[in-house]
Amino acid sequence: MHAVGSSGGSTAAAAGASAVAPTQLPAIDATTLTVEPGQPTPLGASPGQDGQKGVNFALWAPAATSVTLCLHDDQDRPIMETLMQRTGDTWHAFVAGLPQSGVLYGYKVAGNGGWETPYRWDKSKILLDPYAKLVKGRAVFGKRDTFEQFKTKARGMACRELQDARPDEGSVFRGTFDFDSKPFDWGAGYKRPNIPLKDLVIVELPVRLFTASETSGLPAAKRGTYAGLASKVEHLKELGINAVELLPVFEYDELEFQRSKNPRDHMVNVWGYSHLNFFAPMSRFGSGGQGPAAAAREFKEMVKTLHAAGIEVILDVVYNHTVEGGDDDPYLLSWRGIDAGAYYQQDPAAYVRLLNYSGCGNTVNANHPATQQQILESLRWWVEEYHVDGFRFDLAPCLCRNAQGEIMSNPPLIRAITKDPVLSKVKLISEPWDIGAYMVGSWPNWDVWAEWNGKYRDDVRRFLRGDGGLKSEFATRLAGSADLYHTNNRKPYHSINFVIAHDGFTLADLVSYNEKHNSNNGEGNRDGSNDNFSWNCGVEGPTDNAAVLALRQKQMRNLHLALMLSQGTPMLLIGDEYGQTRQGNNNYYGHDTALTHYDWEALEEAKENGWFRFYSELIKFRRQHPLLGRGEFLTNQDVTWHEDQWDNPESRFLAFTLHDRGQGGGSLYAAFNAHSFEVRVGLPEPPKGHKWCRVVDTNLASPKDFTPGGNAGVDPVYFVQAYSAVLLMAKPIEA
């Protein structure tokens, strides 16, 4: 045991960094602590067993020659360093007398070999425990504070001024734990919603951006937090969705772009696709800078609130890469310095060895046994500890690759997740593409996994903007993409249908811009997708032209109607319900400004002009009507396509009837006209004793664009106007 710096003064938070100053604990006296061998399991930090007072630490590091446990107090003042003992591939130590909370820790790992080996050792760097259940970093989102000052070689001698911090060191993150607090009280009447996948309507939602704006009406300390999200549950209920898919909430470094001078050093990562730990909730999404333990409790309160409202919580998880970057721009924080050979896919023949199928500098070696175990334990932790209802796996083909980056036909990790007794019972959704692999419809699914259907997005966008030769593809997407998913025991709901997602244009921008406008990202407008299949309706960007604005509104209604009528599981993007714009930026991951913040005042305007009404009522209509969101693929008895122009590439009109065969709700007739002229339609005969009544006509102004329950009836001939769509419902003729 080596005691260092066991006393010292407090460190003040940066100006305005936290709304409530966290309680500072007294310095810990290292002379009261005793180091014992400890146990190699479980990995991470765990409380003493059988009455032992202290904490056990265990780290898997098979290639290391030594591991030093570094203990600090809650202000990051060093307490002691001690060498750990080894059993097999695991290093371990038990520190008797160590408090059960208020302690920070990390590891210094040494090994043999340089860059000619798979390893990236730096025995001077304190590394974050990959199994840390809580992570301590700066207190408040996007605000530097004295906690992350660079420490000099004199251990514990903090820089006098914050600007003296070494930017090339990045930020400081330490593992921590809270074994003192009582278990979270989920409540006697609490239960998870357990909504079938076929009945979900999902909305993508970034925690930070949802309530960061002053327009949220929340106090400053609550904006952009888990509690802020929970406080808006009534809006989510009014919107009509029953599942939120949260953009990444694992601990990440939002200031990673500011480590060095570069074209993106003005950016703050608001999306979070850059994890530095797989177990800990993002502490700076907690209210008031109260630290990781408080943030974890707040996350649970948020889940509890959403579940009480009948809303499931799905996490967007990033196991395909980490924040540590590649060999060309390394950011040594954790895995990289512990065993880069096990944790990352590598090409031994290259100098920059780390493979990059993520586009972010590295690719996690997810099918290595130790990495696979870590991912599985992480997923179970989020289900069992935080009660989340499912996961969307970012760039999921990365998880199907072996250590050399080759796609495996039967990837062990995906199979293990599918067969796991805990994980097999939650929603599993893949984003089935990465750099080098496109697996839409061919994802290794075991009849369990759902997929983001990128082909749905592209085909629907292209048909409705007026591209020719896409009628069959459009019909196939509306019917549940049987060409992709009607195999074995897969169902239409395994297709996650979306027109808009976080990466890309918002719905309003999709109909307002032909080109991306990403110059303020700092990369010369080279970043972001070039294949948006968007249409500006005649003018690029903002305009006062009434005809263009009216056409854009029609197109937004058309796209939303198509999504709500499609078989499969629909996914929306938060903000589209009020027509949020990013001013044509389709890759806005680094802007923590009004450009990206949800505008609650604009929402009120959308409620006044009728767009929110149309958007939300159509969501509720979908959830309530038995002919939508089916559990099985459509048969010829379920649907009639009113079409004799399938092979005509110039035909941009499609109509069909969904037949009520005893399910209830009434038969539905829909027509989509992507021509620049009106189409005169002779309606099919309604069911005997019924009449066709208009529910939706996207050409009509609010409130006639959506008529709850249908209007009084329509004529046998209907004029479907240019770039518009209609939805009719069969209702009984009153005697």
Side-chain angles (χ1 to χ4, degrees), residues 331-357:
Y331 187 8
L332 185 64
L333 283 176
S334 181
W335 302 275
R336 182 182 177 88
I338 295 169
D339 197 317
Y343 285 125
Y344 295 112
Q345 297 171 23
Q346 299 192 19
D347 178 1
Y351 178 69
V352 179
R353 299 175 63 117
L354 269 63
L355 297 173
N356 186 18
Y357 292 105

PDB file of all heavy atoms in Angstrom, residues 331-357:
ATOM      1  N   TYR A 331      -7.502   8.266 -27.703  1.00  0.00           N
ATOM      2  CA  TYR A 331      -8.029   8.907 -26.495  1.00  0.00           C
ATOM      3  C   TYR A 331      -8.046   7.826 -25.422  1.00  0.00           C
ATOM      4  O   TYR A 331      -9.009   7.084 -25.289  1.00  0.00           O
ATOM      5  CB  TYR A 331      -9.427   9.454 -26.776  1.00  0.00           C
ATOM      6  CG  TYR A 331     -10.042  10.295 -25.685  1.00  0.00           C
ATOM      7  CD1 TYR A 331      -9.334  10.700 -24.564  1.00  0.00           C
ATOM      8  CD2 TYR A 331     -11.361  10.709 -25.791  1.00  0.00           C
ATOM      9  CE1 TYR A 331      -9.922  11.478 -23.582  1.00  0.00           C
ATOM     10  CE2 TYR A 331     -11.971  11.496 -24.823  1.00  0.00           C
ATOM     11  CZ  TYR A 331     -11.249  11.875 -23.712  1.00  0.00           C
ATOM     12  OH  TYR A 331     -11.841  12.650 -22.748  1.00  0.00           O
ATOM     13  N   LEU A 332      -6.969   7.729 -24.681  1.00  0.00           N
ATOM     14  CA  LEU A 332      -6.783   6.633 -23.728  1.00  0.00           C
ATOM     15  C   LEU A 332      -7.584   6.900 -22.463  1.00  0.00           C
ATOM     16  O   LEU A 332      -7.274   7.802 -21.690  1.00  0.00           O
ATOM     17  CB  LEU A 332      -5.298   6.490 -23.394  1.00  0.00           C
ATOM     18  CG  LEU A 332      -4.912   5.308 -22.493  1.00  0.00           C
ATOM     19  CD1 LEU A 332      -5.216   3.991 -23.194  1.00  0.00           C
ATOM     20  CD2 LEU A 332      -3.441   5.394 -22.120  1.00  0.00           C
ATOM     21  N   LEU A 333      -8.633   6.107 -22.244  1.00  0.00           N
ATOM     22  CA  LEU A 333      -9.469   6.261 -21.066  1.00  0.00           C
ATOM     23  C   LEU A 333      -9.669   4.956 -20.309  1.00  0.00           C
ATOM     24  O   LEU A 333      -9.720   4.956 -19.079  1.00  0.00           O
ATOM     25  CB  LEU A 333     -10.849   6.811 -21.457  1.00  0.00           C
ATOM     26  CG  LEU A 333     -10.957   8.299 -21.771  1.00  0.00           C
ATOM     27  CD1 LEU A 333     -12.370   8.628 -22.241  1.00  0.00           C
ATOM     28  CD2 LEU A 333     -10.606   9.135 -20.551  1.00  0.00           C
ATOM     29  N   SER A 334      -9.792   3.829 -21.024  1.00  0.00           N
ATOM     30  CA  SER A 334     -10.195   2.598 -20.349  1.00  0.00           C
ATOM     31  C   SER A 334      -9.720   1.363 -21.091  1.00  0.00           C
ATOM     32  O   SER A 334      -8.563   0.970 -20.975  1.00  0.00           O
ATOM     33  CB  SER A 334     -11.731   2.589 -20.195  1.00  0.00           C
ATOM     34  OG  SER A 334     -12.176   1.446 -19.524  1.00  0.00           O
ATOM     35  N   TRP A 335     -10.591   0.782 -21.913  1.00  0.00           N
ATOM     36  CA  TRP A 335     -10.329  -0.500 -22.561  1.00  0.00           C
ATOM     37  C   TRP A 335      -8.997  -0.517 -23.314  1.00  0.00           C
ATOM     38  O   TRP A 335      -8.267  -1.499 -23.277  1.00  0.00           O
ATOM     39  CB  TRP A 335     -11.443  -0.825 -23.565  1.00  0.00           C
ATOM     40  CG  TRP A 335     -12.825  -0.889 -23.037  1.00  0.00           C
ATOM     41  CD1 TRP A 335     -13.448  -1.948 -22.454  1.00  0.00           C
ATOM     42  CD2 TRP A 335     -13.812   0.162 -23.088  1.00  0.00           C
ATOM     43  NE1 TRP A 335     -14.748  -1.639 -22.129  1.00  0.00           N
ATOM     44  CE2 TRP A 335     -14.996  -0.347 -22.507  1.00  0.00           C
ATOM     45  CE3 TRP A 335     -13.804   1.475 -23.560  1.00  0.00           C
ATOM     46  CZ2 TRP A 335     -16.167   0.408 -22.391  1.00  0.00           C
ATOM     47  CZ3 TRP A 335     -14.958   2.229 -23.440  1.00  0.00           C
ATOM     48  CH2 TRP A 335     -16.117   1.697 -22.862  1.00  0.00           C
ATOM     49  N   ARG A 336      -8.710   0.564 -23.982  1.00  0.00           N
ATOM     50  CA  ARG A 336      -7.525   0.651 -24.835  1.00  0.00           C
ATOM     51  C   ARG A 336      -6.242   0.367 -24.059  1.00  0.00           C
ATOM     52  O   ARG A 336      -5.328  -0.289 -24.562  1.00  0.00           O
ATOM     53  CB  ARG A 336      -7.478   2.045 -25.463  1.00  0.00           C
ATOM     54  CG  ARG A 336      -6.327   2.288 -26.421  1.00  0.00           C
ATOM     55  CD  ARG A 336      -6.386   3.734 -26.934  1.00  0.00           C
ATOM     56  NE  ARG A 336      -5.253   4.015 -27.802  1.00  0.00           N
ATOM     57  CZ  ARG A 336      -5.231   3.801 -29.104  1.00  0.00           C
ATOM     58  NH1 ARG A 336      -6.294   3.290 -29.699  1.00  0.00           N
ATOM     59  NH2 ARG A 336      -4.169   4.083 -29.819  1.00  0.00           N
ATOM     60  N   GLY A 337      -6.166   0.867 -22.828  1.00  0.00           N
ATOM     61  CA  GLY A 337      -4.975   0.675 -22.024  1.00  0.00           C
ATOM     62  C   GLY A 337      -4.987  -0.577 -21.183  1.00  0.00           C
ATOM     63  O   GLY A 337      -3.985  -0.898 -20.525  1.00  0.00           O
ATOM     64  N   ILE A 338      -6.114  -1.302 -21.172  1.00  0.00           N
ATOM     65  CA  ILE A 338      -6.230  -2.531 -20.377  1.00  0.00           C
ATOM     66  C   ILE A 338      -5.907  -3.754 -21.224  1.00  0.00           C
ATOM     67  O   ILE A 338      -5.114  -4.607 -20.828  1.00  0.00           O
ATOM     68  CB  ILE A 338      -7.646  -2.637 -19.767  1.00  0.00           C
ATOM     69  CG1 ILE A 338      -7.853  -1.493 -18.760  1.00  0.00           C
ATOM     70  CG2 ILE A 338      -7.864  -3.999 -19.108  1.00  0.00           C
ATOM     71  CD1 ILE A 338      -9.284  -1.339 -18.291  1.00  0.00           C
ATOM     72  N   ASP A 339      -6.512  -3.838 -22.402  1.00  0.00           N
ATOM     73  CA  ASP A 339      -6.199  -4.928 -23.334  1.00  0.00           C
ATOM     74  C   ASP A 339      -6.787  -4.593 -24.697  1.00  0.00           C
ATOM     75  O   ASP A 339      -7.855  -5.096 -25.076  1.00  0.00           O
ATOM     76  CB  ASP A 339      -6.750  -6.263 -22.828  1.00  0.00           C
ATOM     77  CG  ASP A 339      -6.114  -7.449 -23.537  1.00  0.00           C
ATOM     78  OD1 ASP A 339      -5.962  -7.382 -24.772  1.00  0.00           O
ATOM     79  OD2 ASP A 339      -5.760  -8.429 -22.877  1.00  0.00           O
ATOM     80  N   ALA A 340      -6.100  -3.732 -25.436  1.00  0.00           N
ATOM     81  CA  ALA A 340      -6.585  -3.320 -26.755  1.00  0.00           C
ATOM     82  C   ALA A 340      -6.699  -4.501 -27.702  1.00  0.00           C
ATOM     83  O   ALA A 340      -7.524  -4.502 -28.622  1.00  0.00           O
ATOM     84  CB  ALA A 340      -5.673  -2.250 -27.350  1.00  0.00           C
ATOM     85  N   GLY A 341      -5.899  -5.529 -27.497  1.00  0.00           N
ATOM     86  CA  GLY A 341      -5.949  -6.696 -28.369  1.00  0.00           C
ATOM     87  C   GLY A 341      -7.224  -7.483 -28.227  1.00  0.00           C
ATOM     88  O   GLY A 341      -7.704  -8.096 -29.186  1.00  0.00           O
ATOM     89  N   ALA A 342      -7.798  -7.487 -27.025  1.00  0.00           N
ATOM     90  CA  ALA A 342      -9.039  -8.220 -26.799  1.00  0.00           C
ATOM     91  C   ALA A 342     -10.268  -7.368 -27.096  1.00  0.00           C
ATOM     92  O   ALA A 342     -11.265  -7.863 -27.623  1.00  0.00           O
ATOM     93  CB  ALA A 342      -9.098  -8.717 -25.356  1.00  0.00           C
ATOM     94  N   TYR A 343     -10.192  -6.087 -26.771  1.00  0.00           N
ATOM     95  CA  TYR A 343     -11.378  -5.248 -26.835  1.00  0.00           C
ATOM     96  C   TYR A 343     -11.645  -4.644 -28.215  1.00  0.00           C
ATOM     97  O   TYR A 343     -12.766  -4.211 -28.486  1.00  0.00           O
ATOM     98  CB  TYR A 343     -11.281  -4.121 -25.807  1.00  0.00           C
ATOM     99  CG  TYR A 343     -11.532  -4.583 -24.381  1.00  0.00           C
ATOM    100  CD1 TYR A 343     -10.600  -4.355 -23.374  1.00  0.00           C
ATOM    101  CD2 TYR A 343     -12.708  -5.245 -24.049  1.00  0.00           C
ATOM    102  CE1 TYR A 343     -10.832  -4.769 -22.077  1.00  0.00           C
ATOM    103  CE2 TYR A 343     -12.956  -5.672 -22.751  1.00  0.00           C
ATOM    104  CZ  TYR A 343     -12.012  -5.427 -21.767  1.00  0.00           C
ATOM    105  OH  TYR A 343     -12.258  -5.842 -20.483  1.00  0.00           O
ATOM    106  N   TYR A 344     -10.654  -4.599 -29.106  1.00  0.00           N
ATOM    107  CA  TYR A 344     -10.840  -3.944 -30.394  1.00  0.00           C
ATOM    108  C   TYR A 344     -10.423  -4.844 -31.556  1.00  0.00           C
ATOM    109  O   TYR A 344      -9.438  -5.582 -31.457  1.00  0.00           O
ATOM    110  CB  TYR A 344     -10.030  -2.641 -30.458  1.00  0.00           C
ATOM    111  CG  TYR A 344     -10.513  -1.604 -29.471  1.00  0.00           C
ATOM    112  CD1 TYR A 344      -9.731  -1.226 -28.377  1.00  0.00           C
ATOM    113  CD2 TYR A 344     -11.756  -1.003 -29.617  1.00  0.00           C
ATOM    114  CE1 TYR A 344     -10.173  -0.284 -27.462  1.00  0.00           C
ATOM    115  CE2 TYR A 344     -12.212  -0.060 -28.715  1.00  0.00           C
ATOM    116  CZ  TYR A 344     -11.417   0.296 -27.637  1.00  0.00           C
ATOM    117  OH  TYR A 344     -11.874   1.225 -26.738  1.00  0.00           O
ATOM    118  N   GLN A 345     -11.186  -4.764 -32.639  1.00  0.00           N
ATOM    119  CA  GLN A 345     -10.821  -5.467 -33.868  1.00  0.00           C
ATOM    120  C   GLN A 345      -9.569  -4.809 -34.460  1.00  0.00           C
ATOM    121  O   GLN A 345      -9.472  -3.579 -34.497  1.00  0.00           O
ATOM    122  CB  GLN A 345     -11.973  -5.413 -34.877  1.00  0.00           C
ATOM    123  CG  GLN A 345     -13.236  -6.117 -34.407  1.00  0.00           C
ATOM    124  CD  GLN A 345     -14.419  -5.875 -35.313  1.00  0.00           C
ATOM    125  OE1 GLN A 345     -14.266  -5.548 -36.484  1.00  0.00           O
ATOM    126  NE2 GLN A 345     -15.629  -6.040 -34.781  1.00  0.00           N
ATOM    127  N   GLN A 346      -8.624  -5.661 -34.939  1.00  0.00           N
ATOM    128  CA  GLN A 346      -7.353  -5.127 -35.410  1.00  0.00           C
ATOM    129  C   GLN A 346      -6.895  -5.832 -36.679  1.00  0.00           C
ATOM    130  O   GLN A 346      -7.243  -6.980 -36.927  1.00  0.00           O
ATOM    131  CB  GLN A 346      -6.273  -5.285 -34.331  1.00  0.00           C
ATOM    132  CG  GLN A 346      -6.567  -4.542 -33.039  1.00  0.00           C
ATOM    133  CD  GLN A 346      -5.369  -4.487 -32.118  1.00  0.00           C
ATOM    134  OE1 GLN A 346      -4.234  -4.679 -32.545  1.00  0.00           O
ATOM    135  NE2 GLN A 346      -5.612  -4.218 -30.838  1.00  0.00           N
ATOM    136  N   ASP A 347      -6.087  -5.096 -37.434  1.00  0.00           N
ATOM    137  CA  ASP A 347      -5.399  -5.648 -38.593  1.00  0.00           C
ATOM    138  C   ASP A 347      -3.914  -5.695 -38.261  1.00  0.00           C
ATOM    139  O   ASP A 347      -3.235  -4.664 -38.270  1.00  0.00           O
ATOM    140  CB  ASP A 347      -5.636  -4.771 -39.820  1.00  0.00           C
ATOM    141  CG  ASP A 347      -4.903  -5.285 -41.060  1.00  0.00           C
ATOM    142  OD1 ASP A 347      -4.233  -6.338 -40.961  1.00  0.00           O
ATOM    143  OD2 ASP A 347      -5.001  -4.624 -42.112  1.00  0.00           O
ATOM    144  N   PRO A 348      -3.376  -6.876 -37.950  1.00  0.00           N
ATOM    145  CA  PRO A 348      -1.973  -6.969 -37.523  1.00  0.00           C
ATOM    146  C   PRO A 348      -0.978  -6.495 -38.572  1.00  0.00           C
ATOM    147  O   PRO A 348       0.154  -6.148 -38.234  1.00  0.00           O
ATOM    148  CB  PRO A 348      -1.801  -8.467 -37.244  1.00  0.00           C
ATOM    149  CG  PRO A 348      -3.177  -8.992 -37.039  1.00  0.00           C
ATOM    150  CD  PRO A 348      -4.064  -8.169 -37.909  1.00  0.00           C
ATOM    151  N   ALA A 349      -1.390  -6.438 -39.834  1.00  0.00           N
ATOM    152  CA  ALA A 349      -0.460  -6.056 -40.891  1.00  0.00           C
ATOM    153  C   ALA A 349      -0.380  -4.543 -41.086  1.00  0.00           C
ATOM    154  O   ALA A 349       0.457  -4.066 -41.848  1.00  0.00           O
ATOM    155  CB  ALA A 349      -0.872  -6.714 -42.203  1.00  0.00           C
ATOM    156  N   ALA A 350      -1.241  -3.792 -40.418  1.00  0.00           N
ATOM    157  CA  ALA A 350      -1.281  -2.342 -40.615  1.00  0.00           C
ATOM    158  C   ALA A 350      -0.651  -1.629 -39.427  1.00  0.00           C
ATOM    159  O   ALA A 350      -0.673  -2.117 -38.299  1.00  0.00           O
ATOM    160  CB  ALA A 350      -2.722  -1.881 -40.796  1.00  0.00           C
ATOM    161  N   TYR A 351      -0.094  -0.436 -39.684  1.00  0.00           N
ATOM    162  CA  TYR A 351       0.456   0.356 -38.587  1.00  0.00           C
ATOM    163  C   TYR A 351      -0.684   0.906 -37.733  1.00  0.00           C
ATOM    164  O   TYR A 351      -0.671   0.798 -36.512  1.00  0.00           O
ATOM    165  CB  TYR A 351       1.327   1.495 -39.110  1.00  0.00           C
ATOM    166  CG  TYR A 351       1.864   2.364 -37.992  1.00  0.00           C
ATOM    167  CD1 TYR A 351       2.825   1.862 -37.105  1.00  0.00           C
ATOM    168  CD2 TYR A 351       1.410   3.660 -37.801  1.00  0.00           C
ATOM    169  CE1 TYR A 351       3.306   2.640 -36.069  1.00  0.00           C
ATOM    170  CE2 TYR A 351       1.888   4.439 -36.767  1.00  0.00           C
ATOM    171  CZ  TYR A 351       2.841   3.930 -35.902  1.00  0.00           C
ATOM    172  OH  TYR A 351       3.311   4.702 -34.867  1.00  0.00           O
ATOM    173  N   VAL A 352      -1.677   1.531 -38.397  1.00  0.00           N
ATOM    174  CA  VAL A 352      -2.902   1.908 -37.693  1.00  0.00           C
ATOM    175  C   VAL A 352      -3.747   0.649 -37.610  1.00  0.00           C
ATOM    176  O   VAL A 352      -4.554   0.354 -38.480  1.00  0.00           O
ATOM    177  CB  VAL A 352      -3.643   3.046 -38.427  1.00  0.00           C
ATOM    178  CG1 VAL A 352      -4.917   3.413 -37.696  1.00  0.00           C
ATOM    179  CG2 VAL A 352      -2.736   4.268 -38.557  1.00  0.00           C
ATOM    180  N   ARG A 353      -3.509  -0.123 -36.554  1.00  0.00           N
ATOM    181  CA  ARG A 353      -4.032  -1.487 -36.490  1.00  0.00           C
ATOM    182  C   ARG A 353      -5.536  -1.547 -36.270  1.00  0.00           C
ATOM    183  O   ARG A 353      -6.206  -2.460 -36.754  1.00  0.00           O
ATOM    184  CB  ARG A 353      -3.332  -2.261 -35.364  1.00  0.00           C
ATOM    185  CG  ARG A 353      -1.836  -2.408 -35.532  1.00  0.00           C
ATOM    186  CD  ARG A 353      -1.210  -3.078 -34.334  1.00  0.00           C
ATOM    187  NE  ARG A 353      -1.700  -4.425 -34.145  1.00  0.00           N
ATOM    188  CZ  ARG A 353      -0.942  -5.523 -34.205  1.00  0.00           C
ATOM    189  NH1 ARG A 353       0.348  -5.413 -34.474  1.00  0.00           N
ATOM    190  NH2 ARG A 353      -1.454  -6.709 -33.998  1.00  0.00           N
ATOM    191  N   LEU A 354      -6.088  -0.597 -35.519  1.00  0.00           N
ATOM    192  CA  LEU A 354      -7.493  -0.700 -35.154  1.00  0.00           C
ATOM    193  C   LEU A 354      -8.384  -0.536 -36.386  1.00  0.00           C
ATOM    194  O   LEU A 354      -8.266   0.447 -37.130  1.00  0.00           O
ATOM    195  CB  LEU A 354      -7.850   0.350 -34.102  1.00  0.00           C
ATOM    196  CG  LEU A 354      -7.691  -0.105 -32.640  1.00  0.00           C
ATOM    197  CD1 LEU A 354      -6.245  -0.446 -32.324  1.00  0.00           C
ATOM    198  CD2 LEU A 354      -8.207   0.958 -31.683  1.00  0.00           C
ATOM    199  N   LEU A 355      -9.246  -1.508 -36.606  1.00  0.00           N
ATOM    200  CA  LEU A 355     -10.191  -1.465 -37.720  1.00  0.00           C
ATOM    201  C   LEU A 355     -11.303  -0.467 -37.416  1.00  0.00           C
ATOM    202  O   LEU A 355     -11.645  -0.226 -36.255  1.00  0.00           O
ATOM    203  CB  LEU A 355     -10.756  -2.858 -37.982  1.00  0.00           C
ATOM    204  CG  LEU A 355      -9.711  -3.902 -38.412  1.00  0.00           C
ATOM    205  CD1 LEU A 355     -10.328  -5.289 -38.473  1.00  0.00           C
ATOM    206  CD2 LEU A 355      -9.101  -3.535 -39.757  1.00  0.00           C
ATOM    207  N   ASN A 356     -11.904   0.068 -38.467  1.00  0.00           N
ATOM    208  CA  ASN A 356     -12.819   1.192 -38.281  1.00  0.00           C
ATOM    209  C   ASN A 356     -14.099   1.007 -39.085  1.00  0.00           C
ATOM    210  O   ASN A 356     -14.370   1.758 -40.016  1.00  0.00           O
ATOM    211  CB  ASN A 356     -12.124   2.496 -38.673  1.00  0.00           C
ATOM    212  CG  ASN A 356     -12.955   3.719 -38.361  1.00  0.00           C
ATOM    213  OD1 ASN A 356     -13.887   3.675 -37.569  1.00  0.00           O
ATOM    214  ND2 ASN A 356     -12.624   4.833 -38.996  1.00  0.00           N
ATOM    215  N   TYR A 357     -14.892  -0.004 -38.749  1.00  0.00           N
ATOM    216  CA  TYR A 357     -16.169  -0.218 -39.418  1.00  0.00           C
ATOM    217  C   TYR A 357     -17.274   0.662 -38.838  1.00  0.00           C
ATOM    218  O   TYR A 357     -18.397   0.643 -39.326  1.00  0.00           O
ATOM    219  CB  TYR A 357     -16.571  -1.684 -39.325  1.00  0.00           C
ATOM    220  CG  TYR A 357     -15.673  -2.584 -40.137  1.00  0.00           C
ATOM    221  CD1 TYR A 357     -14.716  -3.386 -39.525  1.00  0.00           C
ATOM    222  CD2 TYR A 357     -15.763  -2.615 -41.528  1.00  0.00           C
ATOM    223  CE1 TYR A 357     -13.877  -4.207 -40.269  1.00  0.00           C
ATOM    224  CE2 TYR A 357     -14.930  -3.426 -42.280  1.00  0.00           C
ATOM    225  CZ  TYR A 357     -13.990  -4.222 -41.643  1.00  0.00           C
ATOM    226  OH  TYR A 357     -13.164  -5.021 -42.388  1.00  0.00           O
TER     227      TYR A 357
END
